[in-house]
């Protein structure tokens, strides 16, 4: 298993529902470290660029409107197999298909308002991390750091 980095976004609905602590606890207790964090409100141009791959999809305009509707928490998560692990913790994009106990099964309202975003592959993770963070804003976990569960 390789140590990877992945981009996480706690979306406007997740922030509005006061879920930052619950979501971050799930990441840390699963062995992921939060190595960069930033609260911000995306403007339309940023959201359009971030979701450029979806620009021909019928939901693109609504997605941009929703993602700019309030503050988000953008974060870099690091750990063994972080990209797939984060996707397991989030659950399927559509909460109706999300496995029990995942963030989206527990908290998401709909396929659009689905609380969290996570990179889906190594190349998108690199692009998405660089979209929000400079390397000097990212702090890899020290080798001696313990997992939350081990304390
Ligand atoms: P995310 O993982 O951030 O990637 C693209 C986002 O588009 C997705 O989560 C949802 O918020 C949204 N999305 C994906 N599919 C649909 C859909 N069929 N209808 C509405 N929104 C969607």
């Amino acid at each position: 298993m390789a140590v990877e980095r992945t981009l996480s976004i706690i979306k406007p609905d997740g922030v509005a529902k006061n879920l930052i602590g619950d979501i971050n606890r799930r990441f840390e207790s699963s062995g992921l470290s939060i190595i960069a964090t930033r609260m911000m409100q995306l403007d339309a141009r940023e959201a359009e660029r971030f979701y450029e791959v979806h620009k021909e999809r019928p939901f693109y305009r609504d997605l941009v409107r929703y993602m700019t509707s309030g503050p988000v928490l953008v974060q870099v998560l690091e750990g063994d197999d972080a990209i797939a692990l984060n996707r397991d913790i989030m659950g399927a994009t559509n909460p109706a298909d999300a496995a029990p106990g995942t963030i989206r099964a527990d908290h998401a309202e709909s396929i659009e308002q689905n609380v969290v975003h996570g990179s889906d592959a190594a190349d998108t993770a690199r692009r998405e991390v660089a979209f929000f963070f400079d390397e000097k804003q990212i702090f890899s976990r020290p080798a001696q750091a313990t997992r939350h569960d081990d304390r």
Side-chain angles (χ1 to χ4, degrees):
M1 258 189 310
V3 174
E4 294 174 337
R5 290 175 175 183
T6 190
L7 186 87
S8 164
I9 305 178
I10 302 180
K11 297 183 177 185
D13 55 326
V15 173
K17 289 176 176 170
N18 231 8
L19 291 172
I20 292 171
D22 175 80
I23 292 168
N24 283 347
R25 182 194 56 74
R26 292 173 192 239
F27 294 153
E28 291 185 330
S29 63
S30 304
L32 293 171
S33 294
I34 299 161
I35 62 166
T37 188
R38 177 177 168 200
M39 195 169 207
M40 63 185 294
Q41 184 154 2
L42 293 169
D43 65 29
R45 284 182 54 187
E46 288 167 323
E48 284 164 2
R49 272 203 303 124
F50 184 79
Y51 280 120
E52 209 160 35
V53 290
H54 296 303
K55 75 167 179 278
E56 305 304 333
R57 310 287 287 274
F59 57 82
Y60 180 66
R61 275 290 128 212
D62 271 355
L63 176 61
V64 169
R65 201 170 307 121
Y66 154 58
M67 288 300 291
T68 57
S69 66
V72 298
L73 196 71
V74 291
Q75 304 191 107
V76 182
L77 309 178
E78 184 180 72
D80 288 334
D81 241 346
I83 297 166
L85 177 55
N86 182 37
R87 294 179 70 77
D88 286 347
I89 297 166
M90 292 191 299
T93 304
N94 188 344
D97 302 328
T102 59
I103 293 169
R104 286 164 171 162
D106 288 348
H107 297 302
E109 297 289 328
S110 65
I111 193 167
E112 178 184 75
Q113 301 207 9
N114 61 0
V115 182
V116 277
H117 167 83
S119 308
D120 63 0
D123 54 342
T124 45
R126 265 190 299 278
R127 170 190 170 265
E128 291 179 359
V129 167
F131 189 96
F132 290 108
F133 296 98
D134 293 333
E135 200 52 41
K136 65 178 188 300
Q137 298 171 311
I138 303 173
F139 299 88
S140 271
R141 181 172 64 172
Q144 74 274 19
T146 52
R147 279 183 50 170
H148 181 72
D149 287 352
D150 302 334
R151 280 183 205 136

